Amino acid sequence: MSDYKAVVIGGSAGSFAVVLKMLSQLRADFELPIIICMHRLKHIRSGLVESLNVKSQKEVIEPFDKQRIEQGKVYLAPSNYHMFIEFDGTISLSVEDMNNQSRPSIDYTLSSAAVAYREKCLGIILTGANKDGAKGLKDIADKKGFTIVQDPKTADVPTMPKAALEIMKPDLILTPDQITDYLNKL
């Protein structure tokens, strides 16, 4: 078992294909909870979880408010809700104002995970079309968590990984396949 308590992933434009491939190649006995915040269309409430579950080695769920985070599960931020990680190991959902023109906000999810898990948090930023997530990943680094940024050269839309690289130095800059390999070695 690794030293981490959770893996927290943020992504936007182009990230669905990356997440789908990662989850399909992740080893079946991977025990850490994976918390994913992806920008998604607020008026489309279904289909994403079902699509991920078709290929994923792990069960993917959209959590409800105050749901306890369990080992070996994948949690996807619901459409049009901010998702926060609480100290007590639960998820809180909110419909507060948008952050970075987004709800769910990747910054909110990553920043709350940084506070809840501190040095036991592994944060990952993937491809995306805006800067949401950069501050959250920096918060994870500031709390001594481990950070990975998708190599912008491999991103469909490199704005998000580049924004993270502008404000912080991650522990690793990797391709999507290298990110999956890293996780599978935990």
Side-chain angles (χ1 to χ4, degrees), residues 11-127:
S12 187
S15 66
F16 175 77
V18 175
V19 168
L20 184 67
K21 187 174 182 187
M22 287 172 63
L23 292 177
S24 72
Q25 295 177 351
L26 194 64
R27 65 180 208 274
D29 65 345
F30 189 84
E31 292 185 15
L32 292 174
I34 300 173
I35 301 160
I36 302 171
C37 185
M38 287 193 297
H39 293 159
R40 38 196 300 202
L41 300 172
K42 66 182 176 183
H43 60 281
I44 299 177
R45 299 223 177 251
S46 64
L48 192 58
V49 168
E50 295 82 359
S51 298
L52 290 171
N53 271 315
V54 167
K55 299 271 186 173
S56 178
Q57 297 289 323
K58 315 299 296 171
E59 179 185 11
V60 181
I61 58 175
E62 285 183 325
F64 53 83
D65 191 44
K66 306 303 180 215
Q67 182 165 352
R68 180 151 303 284
I69 297 169
E70 297 177 36
Q71 294 292 97
K73 298 255 169 102
V74 179
Y75 299 90
L76 177 67
S79 175
N80 209 26
Y81 285 90
H82 294 305
M83 183 170 68
F84 297 89
I85 312 309
E86 301 293 340
F87 284 113
D88 66 358
T90 61
I91 290 172
S92 291
L93 300 178
S94 162
V95 289
E96 292 173 41
D97 290 341
M98 290 184 162
N99 181 50
N100 292 316
Q101 298 83 44
S102 303
R103 187 172 51 223
S105 165
I106 297 166
D107 275 336
Y108 286 171
T109 301
L110 271 60
S111 293
S112 66
V115 172
Y117 295 123
R118 304 187 65 80
E119 73 279 357
K120 303 285 188 182
C121 186
L122 193 166
I124 302 170
I125 284 293
L126 302 174
T127 178

